[in-house]
Amino acid sequence: MKVVAHHIQSLLAGLLALGLVASVYAQDPNAEGRNFLAEGNNSAASKKFAEAAKINPFDASALNNQAVALAAQGDNEKALNLLERANRLAPNRADIAANLNELRNWMNRNTPQVAAVQRKAPVPGAYPNQGDIPPEPPPLWKK
């Protein structure tokens, strides 16, 4: 077992030296989005999370994270729509439910003219250069 572990460590060290592991990691839009979000670059983060959701339209984490980035930019309507979708995809995720409730409450307190209710139609333009958010989940995923 030690021999295998040593070979894996040697392989990883070699790949790191070549920069291959970093480039593979850098090509993950979710990881890049989280890095941009941590740096405070909400616009770039939103675009990366949109890329991730385009690759997998049922990625509740990407939808949640994009909503966080959009809300930080003041685009609360799109953020709310994405959080509602993420909540339908992953109803047991407490972090998504908390983000959804917090945004709804904030919108109800601070923008009373905006009705923070669940919408049946997606918000157009939530994804840059795509025109609309990903398709609805298959019927078996819906409540």
Side-chain angles (χ1 to χ4, degrees), residues 53-66:
K54 189 172 183 180
I55 293 167
N56 178 4
F58 307 111
D59 184 349
S61 291
L63 296 172
N64 176 68
N65 292 339
Q66 186 183 16

Side-chain angles (χ1 to χ4, degrees), residues 65-117:
N65 292 339
Q66 186 183 16
V68 169
L70 287 170
Q73 296 174 73
D75 201 342
N76 297 321
E77 283 293 316
K78 290 178 187 175
L80 183 62
N81 187 273
L82 290 170
L83 284 170
E84 288 170 347
R85 170 69 62 79
N87 193 50
R88 285 193 305 271
L89 289 170
N92 295 328
R93 291 268 310 264
D95 58 333
I96 294 172
N99 286 344
L100 177 60
N101 288 332
E102 187 170 329
L103 183 59
R104 280 183 179 154
N105 290 336
W106 185 92
M107 288 177 72
N108 285 333
R109 282 190 317 270
N110 296 294
T111 53
Q113 69 276 16
V114 176
V117 296

